[in-house]
Amino acid sequence: MGFIERRKKVFEWMHQEGIDLVMFEDCEARRDQAVRYLCGQPGDALLFLSAGEKTLLMPWDIYMAQRHAKVDMLLEYSMYQLNPIKACIEAARLLEISPTGKIEIPACTSYPDFLKYVDTKSDYDFICRESGAAKLIETMRSIKDDDEIKLYRELSELTNHLIVFLEKAVSDGNLKTEDDVAIFIEKTCRRLGCEGTGFTTLAAGSDRSFGIHAFPPYTNGSFADKGLSILDFGIVLNGYTSDVTMTFTRGVLSKKQTEQLDLVKEAFDIAFSKSAEGVSCMKIAAAVDAFFKKHKVFMPHGLGHGIGLQAHEAPYLRNREQCDTPLETGMIFTIEPGLYDPVCGGCRLENDILLTENGAEVLTKSKIVML
Amino acid sequence: MGFIERRKKVFEWMHQEGIDLVMFEDCEARRDQAVRYLCGQPGDALLFLSAGEKTLLMPWDIYMAQRHAKVDMLLEYSMYQLNPIKACIEAARLLEISPTGKIEIPACTSYPDFLKYVDTKSDYDFICRESGAAKLIETMRSIKDDDEIKLYRELSELTNHLIVFLEKAVSDGNLKTEDDVAIFIEKTCRRLGCEGTGFTTLAAGSDRSFGIHAFPPYTNGSFADKGLSILDFGIVLNGYTSDVTMTFTRGVLSKKQTEQLDLVKEAFDIAFSKSAEGVSCMKIAAAVDAFFKKHKVFMPHGLGHGIGLQAHEAPYLRNREQCDTPLETGMIFTIEPGLYDPVCGGCRLENDILLTENGAEVLTKSKIVML
C-alpha cells in the first residue's frame, strides 16, 4: 500500500468524522512516524491533510523533503518560525478550510499549547483527542500490508544473519566487550543495506544485566563473561525496525540462574502458543504474568509490542485493560519475556512474530546462547 | 551544586508560588532530564517534590534506581501500571498533600491527559503551565555551577582529543567512510571514559552534506571526498554532552564553495565577538542572519543553543522574540553557523562556548579542515 492509498483511508475517515483538516507533527520533542508513514518524509516536519484531499508538508529542511516527501505542496517550516500554531493557521488558509472548520491537531499537543491554538481567536474548531486521527493511524500502522510484510521478511533475514554472526563471533571470542558487540551491529547492518539501528543497542555484560534497559546502553566493559549477559538490538530497513534480544550465558550457572532461563523460555512458548487471530493482547500477557507468579518470580515490563516505523507501537501486549484488544492477521509484534535479579543477573528472550492467516510465525531466530 | 542544593531551590520556589507538589516525568515519549538533574536517575521515572521537602521517585526499573537515584522514597512505577495520573494521585496521598492542594504537573502534559487529571474527581488543583516549574528548571540548568563548568572543561578536552584524532585519521585516509568516522567516535569516546554520544553522529559525505541533519545520520558511503563533508557529534560525560561540527573539504573548491566557507567562518567570529554578559541571544542570532542576508545567503536553522544534560537546552540563540533573553555568566552554548546548497553541499562550524566573568571562551577546537 502506497502513500496515496494510506491517505485515501485518512480522507475517507475525515469525511465520516466531518474533519476539515488534520495535522501531524514530527519534531525533536515529539517524534511521530505518522508523517513518514503518510508521505515518506523521515523527520522534522508538519504534515496537513485537508478534506479537499490535498497534502501540505512543512519541513525544517526543504532540500531533504524535496528528495523524500511525496506531497501536493511543500513549504519551509521556518517561514513560520517553527511555530506549529502559526503554521497550522497558515495551512488552513492555504488549503481553503472554512473559517469555522474542524481542525484536528496532534493528540499529544500539550495543554499550554492547546490553549494557544484556542487563543488564536480564529473561529476554527480545534480538536485534540486520543480517539481520533492518532488512533486511526495507530490502527492502520498496526496491521501491515503485503509490501510491509514482504519488507519484514527481508529485514528478518538480515536480522537473523546478524544473530548467527553474533553467536559465532562471541563464542569464538572475537567480540569481547559490550562496545565490540554494539559497534559490530552498527557496522554490519549498514553493510547489509540498513539505515542503521532502530534504537540504541543495549549490550549488558553479566555485572549489568540486572537492568531491564542497561544504563549506559553499552560500555567498553566485558560482554558474555561468566553469568548472564543481555543483547537487545534492532536494525532498520526503509524505516522499519526489527527488535530482538539474545541472552548469552557462560560457565556453570547457579540453580536460580538456570531456573530463570527455563522460565523465560517457557514463558516465550506460552505466549507464542496463545498468539492467534482474535486473542486479546491483554490475556496473552496475563497468562505469562500468571505463569511467572506461580513460580514466584515477577517480570517488571510488558510482554511485547508491535514494531514498525517505531520500535514500540501498537499492538501492546501488556496485562492492562487498555490492551484488551484482539490480535489480527498482519500484525507484527515482539514477544519478550524477561526476568532480572540484582545477584543472578538478567535474562530476556525476544523475537518478532507475524500473524498470518495460517497462524503465528516466528520471523527471527534470537535465542539463549550457552557458552 | 549537588542534588540537595538544587532541590532546595525548587522547594523555595514552591513555597513562594504556593505549590504543594511538583511532578517531573521522564518517559520514552517525553524525555525530561530534570529528573536526572534533581536526583541522578538517568531515565524512565516520575519524580515528585513536595512542599514538605520530600522527594519520591517512581522508576520503571527499581534496581537501576537503587544504584543511581538519591531520593527519600522509592516506589516501583509498575505498581500504578505506568499510569502517570494514578501515580500522581498516589504520590499526593503518600506525601500527605492537602486534599485541595496545588499540584504542578509537567508542562508538556497533553491536553487529553490534562483532562484525565481533572477527571480524577479529586479536589486537587492541577496546574499545567510553561511558566512554572518547567521554566524554573530550564533557567537553573542554563547556568552551570562550578562543578558543571569543571566537568565541561574536562569534557571539552576529551572532545578536542577526538577532534585532533579525527583530523589526522581522515587526512591520513584511515577513516574513509561515514560509518568509519561515526564508529570511531562511538568506540573512542567510551575508551575515554564517556557514557557514549549525546545524539546520533551526523556524518555526511559531500553528496549528502546539503542536508542540515543528514538522513540517514550516517551510511557506509564515502566521507571527506571531493567537495564539502559535515561531521556533527557530541560525547557525554556524566550525563553532559558536548556538541561540535567539523567541516572537511577536499580538492579544488568552486568559488561558491569557498565563499560559503568564508561566510560561515566570518559568521562564527561575528557571533563570538558579540557573546557577552547581558547581550540578547536574539540579537546575536539576528546579527548573523543580517550578515548572511547582506551576502544573499540564508541559514535555515538557529545560530546555537545551550548544552547540558540535553543536547538542546536553554539558552536558545535564535532570531525570534522568545529568545530575547540575555546571556549570563555560567552559560555554555554552541555557536554553529551553517550554509547548505543542493549543488555545492553544506558547511557548518560549531563550537561550545562558556561565558565566564572575564568574557566568552571557546571550549572546543572544531574547525574547517581543508584536505
Side-chain angles (χ1 to χ4, degrees), chain B residues 35 134 139 163 182 192 196 207 212 229 247 250 254 256 283 296 301 305 333 364:
Chain B
V35 174
T139 305
I163 289 170
L192 295 173
D207 54 333
I212 309 171
S229 296
T247 294
R250 188 184 297 273
S254 70
K256 194 164 170 190
K283 286 185 182 142
K296 300 187 171 49
H301 56 72
H305 53 83
F333 55 91
T364 52

Side-chain angles (χ1 to χ4, degrees), chain A residues 140-168:
Chain A
M140 283 172 63
R141 283 173 55 187
S142 73
I143 298 173
K144 270 62 181 175
D145 62 39
D146 291 347
D147 289 342
E148 289 174 309
I149 289 170
K150 199 177 148 201
L151 182 147
Y152 259 105
R153 291 199 180 279
E154 195 183 333
L155 176 59
S156 301
E157 270 197 37
L158 300 177
T159 306
N160 290 334
H161 187 77
L162 263 174
I163 289 170
V164 170
F165 251 76
L166 283 161
E167 179 178 358
K168 185 162 171 20

Side-chain angles (χ1 to χ4, degrees), chain A residues 60-61 64, chain B residues 199-204 208-215 217 223 228-234 243-249 257 260-268 292 299-305 312 334-341 344-351 366-369:
Chain A
W60 183 50
D61 186 332
M64 198 66 81
Chain B
F199 47 90
T200 305
T201 297
L202 299 162
R208 308 199 313 130
S209 66
F210 64 83
I212 309 171
H213 283 179
F215 175 81
F223 185 79
L228 312 179
S229 296
I230 288 179
L231 174 63
D232 187 345
F233 73 95
D243 184 0
V244 295
T245 307
M246 307 175 75
T247 294
F248 290 81
T249 81
Q257 284 172 327
Q260 248 177 290
L261 298 177
D262 291 343
L263 290 174
V264 162
K265 280 190 275 192
E266 199 170 337
F268 185 92
F292 280 143
M299 175 169 71
H301 56 72
L303 175 65
H305 53 83
H312 297 143
T334 70
I335 292 179
E336 50 175 312
L339 292 171
Y340 312 85
D341 183 277
C344 298
C347 162
R348 182 162 65 245
L349 175 62
E350 178 183 28
N351 274 303
S366 181
K367 58 181 168 174
I368 295 171
V369 178

